[in-house]
Amino acid sequence: MPMPTRILVPVDLMEGSRAIIDYAVQLAKPFNASIEVLHTWEPPQYVAPDLLVAAPGWNPQSLEKTALGAARKELETLIGSFKGAGPLTQRLEVGEPASAILRVAETDGFDLIVMGTHGRRGLPRLLLGSVAQKVIARASCPVLTLHVTEEK
């Protein structure tokens, strides 16, 4: 297997995201590989993304703009905690997570995907699906999954 030079790290900005990035950073060091951290925001299917969000004293903004702004800020904070970790960039995409991850990995020539899996079973998995499983099944490059444990 060729050594990785570009590693894609999709995160959901939930518990465990930091541990996944940290693992990827440690994995990338010996190969001097670059890392791109990707977060995908999926618009809710039950409301329009151009729905206006307003509160007293705020200018009304679309749901998409508000959500992307919050995600961008959270992603920047997360990435900022890895100063000096080597070539680490961030990216924010809109769409269904598995499809977005696969599209970015393919079009930008990543040679490894490092991502977390929550290990859901039963009804939660049926209802929520498994992004990791979809990526593993369709990715054109190797995928390394790390089990994310819930913090209590």
Side-chain angles (χ1 to χ4, degrees), residues 62-111:
S62 72
L63 173 63
E64 182 172 353
K65 185 175 181 182
T66 303
L68 289 175
R72 184 171 284 110
K73 191 180 289 187
E74 195 171 340
L75 189 57
E76 286 171 359
T77 301
L78 181 61
I79 298 303
S81 67
F82 286 94
K83 291 290 184 209
L88 192 66
T89 58
Q90 66 189 39
R91 183 178 196 154
L92 191 57
E93 293 282 327
V94 175
E96 192 277 321
S99 298
I101 293 165
L102 292 163
R103 183 184 69 250
V104 168
E106 182 72 29
T107 58
D108 290 2
F110 286 93
D111 36 33

Side-chain angles (χ1 to χ4, degrees), residues 35-137:
I35 297 172
E36 184 159 286
V37 179
L38 168 69
H39 175 69
T40 303
W41 180 74
E42 183 175 16
Q45 296 179 5
Y46 48 88
V47 295
D50 59 350
L51 172 78
L52 294 182
V53 177
W58 282 17
N59 290 330
Q61 296 184 33
S62 72
L63 173 63
E64 182 172 353
K65 185 175 181 182
T66 303
L68 289 175
R72 184 171 284 110
K73 191 180 289 187
E74 195 171 340
L75 189 57
E76 286 171 359
T77 301
L78 181 61
I79 298 303
S81 67
F82 286 94
K83 291 290 184 209
L88 192 66
T89 58
Q90 66 189 39
R91 183 178 196 154
L92 191 57
E93 293 282 327
V94 175
E96 192 277 321
S99 298
I101 293 165
L102 292 163
R103 183 184 69 250
V104 168
E106 182 72 29
T107 58
D108 290 2
F110 286 93
D111 36 33
L112 177 64
I113 300 171
V114 176
M115 65 187 302
T117 179
H118 293 280
R120 292 184 181 100
R121 302 266 187 256
L123 189 57
R125 181 171 179 189
L126 180 64
L127 295 175
L128 299 173
S130 172
V131 173
Q133 184 178 11
K134 292 173 188 172
V135 171
I136 291 167

Side-chain angles (χ1 to χ4, degrees), residues 5-35:
T5 57
R6 299 195 70 218
I7 301 173
L8 181 63
V9 183
V11 295
D12 59 6
L13 300 176
M14 303 293 253
E15 71 281 334
S17 292
R18 188 178 199 327
I20 294 164
I21 296 170
D22 188 48
Y23 190 94
V25 165
Q26 298 307 316
L27 181 67
K29 279 183 184 177
F31 306 113
N32 200 26
S34 65
I35 297 172

